[in-house]
Amino acid sequence: MDICKVHENASKCGVNAMECFMVLSTQAQKISIATLCGLFGTLCIFENSLVLYLIFSSPGTRRKPSYLFISSLALADILASIIFVCSFVNFHVFNETDFSKEMFLLQLGGVNTSFSASLSSLLLTALDRYISISRPSEYKLLMTRKRAWIALGMLWVTCATIASLPILGWNCCTLNSTCSELFPFVDNNYLSSWICFIMVLLGCIVYAYAHVLWRARQHVAYMEKHQAQAGKQNTRMRMDVMLAKTLVMVLTVLVLCWSPVLVLMIYSIFARLSNHLRKVFAFCSTLCLLNSMVNPIIYALRSKELYSSLRMVFSQLRRQLKASEESPEAESTRKSSMIET
């Protein structure tokens, strides 16, 4: 019998309620989840840390609002990877229940904050590209570093506040309301509101990118008709088109990776989920790590500045390795010559 069936055989706010959300029943399923989380999480942390290093080690990139927003995205992905992997593996693989309701909601709030901040950073990046393409002559006046930092501060505070609502009291235990079938202690109305918030963010991003792509297409047509005109304006247009395409790729990966999770969340609000669907949800949740892992690869392949910085880093590493390999030989040669003397 399904021990998690509407919490008929367990208190919805006790330890037993947490146990009935541990849907991985076989060792193979647990090993698969642990492997996926370990692989995606490790690569995500390494890649996004490298992106942050490349951005802030170069004065040219760290001063640009566009790269400040990308830095926020990378930071959010790092935090999401660390918190998600630790809590998810601990819960589903090791079946750890030796923590309180507040601790679980705190971990869930950390994951929600990071993902919301990641999506919101993409929204700011989309708005940045929207202003850059629609009002290029006023871009530097409208999008300053000070305004970019203020926007990022408001972004993180808003995301953290929304994610903290369950631990502050908006949970099914405090309100004695209907609990979610996917998350322990989470109120169904809160889950519905969070999904609406995410869908609004996605809608705004899609709208902004639709306009960016439309303007980028106009720029491409303009450049094809005026190929003989070489100048800063055409160079700027090419940069805008390139970055717009890059960010659309990021958005596409985001939607593909998070659509299964959001669809199952929405379905759980209106219908009862079977054990099989909850297992599918557990595996689909690891796609968020895949999304966070793919984003830096897209930056390295599509951003000229980051790609150049990455090549410089690898060149320096190669020179250092070459020097370290040659130094023992030089030292041994020097010692042998002294002995002969």
Side-chain angles (χ1 to χ4, degrees), residues 56-77:
F56 285 99
S57 63
S58 172
T61 54
R62 67 168 175 257
R63 291 196 184 101
K64 295 182 180 180
S66 301
Y67 288 103
L68 289 179
F69 300 146
I70 292 176
S71 300
S72 175
L73 176 63
L75 177 62
D77 286 338

Side-chain angles (χ1 to χ4, degrees), residues 3 74 93 133 160 170 211 277 284 300 317:
I3 63 172
V93 177
I133 284 185
W170 193 355
H211 185 85
L277 282 179
C284 288
L317 287 176

